[in-house]
Amino acid sequence: MILIKKVILISLCLFLTGCAGIADYTIDLENGYRIDRLSAHQIAIYGDKPVQSDDETIVNYLYVPAKVTDVWWNKDYIVTKQIVLVVDENGYEKPPEKLSNKEISYWIINVNNHQVFGPFDEKELEAETDNLGLTEKISLTSIEKLK
């Protein structure tokens, strides 16, 4: 009987650790925005309302594509840092092996009118925050610290 319980417990542990989605999560932000982790590299920002676009035939709830690594927000804006994923020989998206500034992008979301600005490099981000009148100090926080 004890052996059967051990076998069941070990089998259950192996099953749960091998299940896709067990480590997935959602982090709520301001005004219906959220960070969704769908896999180790598929971490993106979605909204309850579609992105404002000039093309009204496209309805898109994805505000910042994967892989979002850091975020900052207030009542008006969300600022994110993203590692641009590359497609490997098998067609899977993954971070580049050697990360450089070329693979890092920044995005700004106006949560009030559902506009997305970006991708930017670090200097362009500074210029755009000035252009938007965003005077608060932006201190990005790792997604891992928020979950």
Side-chain angles (χ1 to χ4, degrees):
M1 187 69 161
I2 293 175
L3 180 61
I4 293 173
K5 286 183 180 181
K6 285 183 181 181
V7 169
I8 291 172
L9 182 61
I10 290 171
S11 298
L12 184 61
C13 288
L14 289 173
F15 175 74
L16 289 177
T17 58
C19 288
I22 196 111
D24 297 348
Y25 54 81
T26 296
I27 300 169
D28 291 323
L29 302 171
E30 294 289 320
N31 294 346
Y33 293 89
R34 67 187 181 280
I35 300 166
D36 283 343
R37 181 191 189 274
L38 305 175
S39 72
H41 303 306
Q42 294 300 319
I43 304 170
I45 296 190
Y46 293 87
D48 289 343
K49 302 219 169 143
V51 176
Q52 183 182 4
S53 170
D54 293 335
D55 185 352
E56 294 184 15
T57 63
I58 298 173
V59 179
N60 178 17
Y61 293 86
L62 174 64
Y63 279 76
V64 181
K67 177 179 183 179
V68 174
T69 60
D70 299 81
V71 67
W72 171 91
W73 72 93
N74 68 11
K75 65 181 181 62
D76 297 314
Y77 294 99
I78 299 170
V79 178
T80 67
K81 179 179 177 182
Q82 169 209 34
I83 295 175
V84 179
L85 300 177
V86 295
V87 178
D88 69 11
E89 64 277 355
N90 297 318
Y92 295 108
E93 289 184 316
K94 63 178 189 168
E97 289 185 22
K98 292 186 179 183
L99 196 59
S100 72
N101 286 339
K102 286 187 257 177
E103 289 89 16
I104 296 175
S105 295
Y106 297 89
W107 300 76
I108 301 172
I109 301 169
N110 182 322
V111 300
N112 299 308
N113 65 14
H114 314 291
Q115 285 185 301
V116 179
F117 305 97
F120 302 116
D121 63 25
E122 215 167 337
K123 287 185 180 186
E124 292 169 329
L125 174 67
E126 288 177 26
E128 189 62 25
T129 55
D130 289 344
N131 185 40
L132 292 171
L134 191 66
T135 58
E136 288 181 61
K137 179 176 174 15
I138 296 172
S139 179
L140 294 167
T141 302
S142 167
I143 300 297
E144 293 300 314
K145 291 183 179 179
L146 296 174
K147 64 178 190 169

